[in-house]
Amino acid sequence: HSSFPTNHWHHLVPPSLFLLLLLVACTMGCLQSIACKPRIRRENIVVYEVSASIDQCPTIIEENSPIVLRYKTPYFRASAGVVMPPVPRNETWVVGWIQACTQMEFYNTYGDIGMSSWELPELREGRVKAISDSDGVSYPWYGNTTETVTLTGPTSKPSRLTVSMNDNFYPSVTWAVPISNSNTPMLTHITRDQSFITWLVAMNSVTKERIVLQTVRWRMRVDIAVDPDMPLGSRASLVGRPYQEQPHILNYQEPIPPNALGRPNANDAQVLMWRPRRGAPLVVIPPK
C-alpha cells in the first residue's frame, strides 16, 4: 500500500454519479465547442411591435400632362421590432421584409375601342402562386435600406433591431389609345386590384435557411372614371370606396413560394397588352 492519502476522487464517488458528472461535464464542453454550436431557432427569436397599415387617404389623381394621367395611391407601411439571439461564429443572418404579388388586375378602358392591360402572364395562367416584388437588386428582399438588418457572428448577446418598408402605386396611363398614332384622349376608365403577401423573415446568408416570423396580406384597389371630352384638369374622378381596406397581420405563417424569392420580379415580368373589342390582342410592352 502507498502511504499517500487517496486523491483519486472517483474512487469515492458511486459509479452512477460518476457517469452523470462525466455526462454533464462533456455536455457543457460540447456546448462551448464548435461541434454543436447553438442553433438559431424560431423559439429563440422575439418579434414585438409588428404594425401594418395603409395610409387613411384617398388616391390622388394628377392631370398635369397632355400625354398621361398619373395617380398616386396611399402607402402601405409595415414595421417590426425583432430581438435576435446571439449569432454563432461563421454565421451571418439577415432579418427583413420579403414581398410578393399574388394577384393583379390592371385595366385601362378606352370607350368601346378596347382596353390596355398590365398583366403577369405566369400568375394569370396559374403557373405560379406569387411573383417576387423585390426592388430587382436585393433579391429576395423588398429593399436594402430600412427593409433589412444584417447580423454577422459572433455576437455575444441578443440584438434588438427594427425593419420597415413601404409601397404604393404611382403609374402613368396614356390618355390616347397606346397603339395608335393619335393623341386624341379616349381613356374612359381605370381599374386596378392587386394583392400582396409580405413576410418578415430571418435568413441564414450562407445556408439560405429561412425562418418566417410574420405574414401580412394586403390589397390595393383603384377605380377611376374618366370623361375624355372634358378639358385637361377636370377629366378624372375617383369612384368606389375612397379608403383602402387595412392589411391583415395573420396569426399563422404562410410558406413562401419559390417564385417569391428570385427573378423575375413583378416589374420585369409584367406585360402591357392591348385587347381590342374586335381583333387579336397585341403585346405593347413585352417583359424585360
Side-chain angles (χ1 to χ4, degrees), residues 16-268:
S16 58
L17 184 58
F18 172 69
L19 283 172
L20 182 66
L21 288 168
L22 191 65
L23 182 68
V24 169
C26 291
T27 306
M28 289 177 71
C30 171
L31 283 176
Q32 284 153 356
S33 81
I34 204 75
C36 69
K37 62 187 175 192
R39 299 210 348 111
I40 289 189
R41 296 194 306 270
R42 175 63 188 97
E43 51 268 33
N44 304 336
I45 301 172
V46 178
V47 179
Y48 64 98
E49 290 176 358
V50 178
S51 69
S53 62
I54 294 176
D55 293 352
Q56 295 276 2
C57 61
T59 293
I60 295 163
I61 303 167
E62 297 177 3
E63 296 189 37
N64 310 325
S65 156
I67 310 297
V68 292
L69 170 154
R70 300 192 79 188
Y71 65 83
K72 194 177 200 169
T73 66
Y75 279 91
F76 163 79
R77 302 178 193 276
S79 94
V82 178
V83 179
M84 285 290 281
V87 176
R89 185 181 311 281
N90 299 332
E91 284 191 20
T92 299
W93 284 77
V94 181
V95 178
W97 295 102
I98 293 174
Q99 181 163 284
C101 175
T102 56
Q103 172 261 337
M104 176 166 94
E105 293 172 10
F106 184 176
Y107 305 123
N108 309 309
T109 307
Y110 295 83
D112 55 9
I113 307 163
M115 66 177 188
S116 69
S117 168
W118 283 103
E119 300 172 13
L120 294 165
E122 290 197 307
L123 205 55
R124 186 190 70 216
E125 293 157 19
R127 285 182 283 154
V128 300
K129 285 190 166 64
I131 286 186
S132 166
D133 196 31
S134 160
D135 60 6
V137 181
S138 314
Y139 291 101
W141 308 105
Y142 181 75
N144 67 356
T145 52
T146 63
E147 296 86 358
T148 58
V149 171
T150 302
L151 298 173
T152 304
T155 57
S156 58
K157 51 183 199 294
S159 308
R160 181 186 287 251
L161 53 98
T162 305
V163 283
S164 64
M165 63 160 286
N166 61 59
D167 189 14
N168 81 330
F169 305 154
Y170 193 13
S172 302
V173 180
T174 58
W175 295 112
V177 172
I179 54 150
S180 72
N181 295 324
S182 153
N183 283 334
T184 310
M186 294 284 188
L187 181 67
T188 52
H189 206 108
I190 296 169
T191 180
R192 184 165 183 175
D193 184 350
Q194 208 160 338
S195 300
F196 299 88
I197 306 183
T198 310
W199 293 272
L200 178 66
V201 178
M203 185 168 88
N204 182 317
S205 295
V206 179
T207 65
K208 303 300 181 205
E209 177 195 353
R210 285 184 304 277
I211 302 173
V212 175
L213 305 174
Q214 202 75 57
T215 308
V216 178
R217 280 186 170 269
W218 63 282
R219 180 177 183 182
M220 191 81 84
R221 287 184 269 190
V222 178
D223 201 359
I224 295 170
V226 182
D227 182 347
D229 299 326
M230 292 294 280
L232 183 67
S234 48
R235 289 175 187 163
S237 57
L238 215 52
V239 290
R241 49 189 297 166
Y243 301 109
Q244 302 295 329
E245 182 189 339
Q246 288 301 308
H248 300 280
I249 299 173
L250 305 185
N251 55 10
Y252 59 93
Q253 304 322 330
E254 296 217 5
I256 308 178
N259 298 81
L261 295 164
R263 295 176 195 281
N265 69 347
N267 283 352
D268 289 350

